[in-house]
Amino acid sequence: MSKRKHPSTGGMHPSNPYSNNPPDFAALAQKYPSLKPYVMLKTQQVSGKPSVYGAINFRDPLALRELTYCLLRNDFSIELDIPLDSLCPAVPNRVNYICWLEDLVGHSEKKTVSGIDVGTGASCIYPLLACVRNKTWQMVGTDISDDSISFATNNVARNNLQNSITVLKNNTPRIFPPELFALENKKYDFCMCNPPFYKDEQDIHDSQSSKTDIPAAVCLGNENEMVTEGGEVQFVMQMIHESMVLKDTIRWYTSMLGKRSSVDQVVAFLKEQKIANYIPTTFHQGRTGRWAIAWSFGDEHPSWETTQQVSAKMAKLSAPKTVLAFDVAKSLGSVLDSTRAILDDLQLQYMYDAEEQDIQVDNHHSRVVQVQATKNTWSRAARRAMSRQAKSNPPKSDPTEPIVLQFDIRVISATTTSTSSSLTSSSASAAKLPNNSTLHLAWTFGQDRDLFESFFLHFRSRIEKG
């Protein structure tokens, strides 16, 4: 069970090592002399006393590249070599994307996860970070540029990750070349992409001119990395078209977006194509904002952790909520006892380790119960039928019955909480009481939203009355 901290709004991902922990340029320059020429020492007042700190000119491409090298070497033991005219990856922002994917596909040290990086670039940064952070992940990085393929292949070898990362030249006009699926029944857990933002050189100029401030960092890159016909929106639309053929060959299709306006257009296109299982998010690195979108054709829904990374503004663009919540004036232990009693009464399968330690974050304690249902056992008709059957012939579970609904019940105890559902409990004032809990029901599997919602309403009513 994940014990990582998750805030309720967007920002730098809390699992990102740079979250609330910005790099110390001065200390980094002391450790790596190659960075020293690019670090300027400045003084600021801290609590009325002068304090020296290091600063870097982010508009100097040489400084930017050297900083990237040093951050990757220091924090991830990754050695990199990239040409000066290629995109220099901003490390904290790239890590944000990987952290979000870990939430999306399930973060486990034992589970093998396979992913595709579309347009991996000369750095091959996403596969490198993904496989260094997750030892059981397997990545394929694709690119259309011979130079990028050459540098990416060398960067993989430089870090001895040839057994985890494959670099593949895409010689087709498709985003997903057939070679990715050459093995029979080959499937992937996710794909990721940082598409070219702009549709032409004029689009680059217009984008820079529209900024009221001088850009904080220089943005260099070759034409393949910066420009694509129709810009990033058309590129992601092509991804969506191809995904509609590939379907669940890839569990989660994802892409980063460089413009906020692009998110609206991509979400609108997903809705036009009747793709209802999707989730947007926001990545932050200092003053720089980036966005991402994920969509799926499977029965799996975004995890609770993933939904916590959706800001209030992005939530307005999200698909119908997969997490419903309510407050109740009861202790965590009392709610857990009632929850198990209700699930037993409804003859639902669930996983709960009574010996597991509470997850504690910011004085909040939480426990998770994972529930599976093969049919509706909570409607009035179903409960009457079960009651009659119990009198004449005690029911027996059938392990062959397919699961139609799966969800997590997360119980959080706190002194102050808030609800996040339009189906909010009438006892929301319980949040002010010292002995209260918030319950989050996160729909993780199934096609029938009405079934999930009906359980939520039944469960909430019994918890509040119990």
Side-chain angles (χ1 to χ4, degrees):
M1 199 64 61
S2 175
K3 297 187 178 183
R4 297 182 292 165
K5 178 181 176 182
H6 289 275
S8 59
T9 59
M12 187 170 286
H13 195 287
S15 294
N16 191 325
Y18 303 108
S19 178
N20 299 315
N21 182 37
D24 185 335
F25 299 143
L28 207 60
Q30 283 295 113
K31 188 172 182 180
Y32 301 106
S34 59
L35 185 62
K36 258 188 177 180
Y38 306 107
V39 175
M40 301 165 283
L41 296 181
K42 297 186 176 183
T43 303
Q44 63 181 354
Q45 294 293 318
V46 178
S47 300
K49 297 181 180 179
S51 176
V52 177
Y53 70 97
I56 283 181
N57 178 11
F58 285 95
R59 296 190 56 74
D60 179 349
L62 290 172
L64 204 57
R65 187 174 63 170
E66 193 59 42
L67 174 62
T68 296
Y69 287 171
C70 293
L71 285 175
L72 289 171
R73 184 178 300 130
N74 189 69
D75 299 328
F76 301 97
S77 299
I78 291 175
E79 295 294 331
L80 204 64
D81 180 32
I82 54 175
L84 195 59
D85 65 346
S86 70
L87 279 176
C88 187
V91 177
N93 189 273
R94 292 333 191 242
V95 178
N96 265 343
Y97 198 167
I98 298 298
C99 292
W100 183 62
L101 286 170
E102 289 168 356
D103 288 340
L104 195 63
V105 303
H107 181 66
S108 171
E109 295 179 357
K110 299 179 181 178
K111 179 182 177 182
T112 300
V113 170
S114 58
I116 303 167
D117 178 26
V118 176
T120 198
S123 67
C124 199
I125 186 64
Y126 285 125
L128 291 171
L129 285 171
C131 293
V132 166
R133 282 178 59 89
N134 303 278
K135 303 302 182 183
T136 60
W137 283 28
Q138 298 284 319
M139 293 289 297
V140 179
T142 70
D143 211 285
I144 62 174
S145 163
D146 288 323
D147 287 343
S148 291
I149 289 292
S150 177
F151 271 92
T153 301
N154 289 336
N155 281 323
V156 171
R158 185 175 282 106
N159 291 280
N160 298 311
L161 287 171
Q162 299 95 320
N163 292 330
S164 300
I165 301 171
T166 300
V167 180
L168 176 67
K169 173 73 183 300
N170 182 2
N171 293 306
T172 77
R174 302 180 190 177
I175 290 174
F176 301 105
E179 291 86 347
L180 286 170
F181 314 101
L183 294 177
E184 188 176 1
N185 298 321
K186 177 61 179 177
K187 293 191 174 185
Y188 295 90
D189 291 285
F190 69 90
C191 71
M192 64 189 307
C193 181
N194 183 16
F197 292 166
Y198 307 106
K199 56 187 178 182
D200 51 36
E201 294 291 337
Q202 185 61 43
D203 192 19
I204 297 176
H205 175 75
D206 292 345
S207 176
Q208 296 295 332
S209 299
S210 66
K211 295 179 180 179
T212 55
D213 296 326
I214 297 175
V218 67
C219 184
L220 293 178
N222 59 52
E223 186 175 349
N224 288 332
E225 295 173 314
M226 300 287 287
V227 176
T228 185
E229 184 178 353
E232 61 181 1
V233 171
Q234 185 167 317
F235 190 95
V236 177
M237 284 181 177
Q238 183 181 341
M239 282 185 71
I240 294 171
H241 276 303
E242 292 188 24
S243 75
M244 293 171 69
V245 176
L246 294 170
K247 294 288 187 177
D248 61 357
T249 304
I250 300 174
R251 276 173 59 199
W252 284 102
Y253 298 85
T254 79
S255 180
M256 188 184 287
L257 293 164
K259 302 176 183 178
R260 172 62 181 81
S261 60
S262 298
V263 183
D264 298 314
Q265 297 177 67
V266 171
V267 167
F269 189 72
L270 286 169
K271 291 179 178 179
E272 285 178 16
Q273 305 308 312
K274 310 299 182 186
I275 300 173
N277 190 8
Y278 66 88
I279 185 168
T281 195
T282 306
F283 301 139
H284 286 294
Q285 179 186 338
R287 292 191 295 166
T288 302
R290 291 289 181 264
W291 297 266
I293 186 81
W295 66 97
S296 175
F297 297 93
D299 293 334
E300 181 184 4
H301 300 281
S303 66
W304 181 85
E305 288 84 359
T306 310
T307 64
Q308 301 310 293
Q309 295 303 308
V310 180
S311 66
K313 290 182 179 179
M314 284 291 104
K316 296 178 181 178
L317 293 174
S318 296
K321 288 182 180 179
T322 56
V323 178
L324 303 176
F326 66 98
D327 299 321
V328 64
K330 295 181 180 179
S331 67
L332 184 146
S334 173
V335 171
L336 286 173
D337 289 342
S338 297
T339 296
R340 285 177 288 172
I342 293 169
L343 297 176
D344 287 336
D345 179 56
L346 296 175
Q347 299 173 18
L348 293 176
Q349 302 175 42
Y350 64 92
M351 291 174 52
Y352 170 73
D353 186 357
E355 302 300 321
E356 184 182 16
Q357 293 293 314
D358 291 352
I359 301 170
Q360 183 174 359
V361 177
D362 293 341
N363 296 320
H364 292 57
H365 294 263
S366 69
R367 298 295 294 272
V368 179
V369 183
Q370 299 173 322
V371 187
Q372 295 179 341
T374 57
K375 58 185 175 182
N376 184 337
T377 61
W378 49 90
S379 68
R380 289 184 180 180
R383 283 180 285 137
R384 283 197 296 265
M386 285 194 302
S387 179
R388 288 193 298 269
Q389 184 182 22
K391 293 177 181 178
S392 57
N393 185 21
K396 295 181 180 180
S397 60
D398 183 357
T400 64
E401 283 189 287
I403 296 169
V404 297
L405 180 66
Q406 186 169 302
F407 54 91
D408 294 342
I409 300 175
R410 184 178 298 266
V411 186
I412 303 174
S413 69
T415 53
T416 57
T417 59
S418 61
T419 58
S420 61
S421 168
S422 58
L423 299 171
T424 289
S425 164
S426 60
S427 62
S429 59
K432 299 178 182 179
L433 299 177
N435 217 10
N436 82 13
S437 298
T438 298
L439 288 86
H440 296 261
L441 275 69
W443 181 25
T444 57
F445 182 87
Q447 292 284 356
D448 192 342
R449 177 183 168 78
D450 290 340
L451 189 65
F452 169 63
E453 190 172 301
S454 69
F455 177 84
F456 172 81
L457 293 170
H458 173 84
F459 177 74
R460 186 184 70 182
S461 175
R462 289 184 66 171
I463 286 288
E464 291 179 339
K465 292 177 181 177

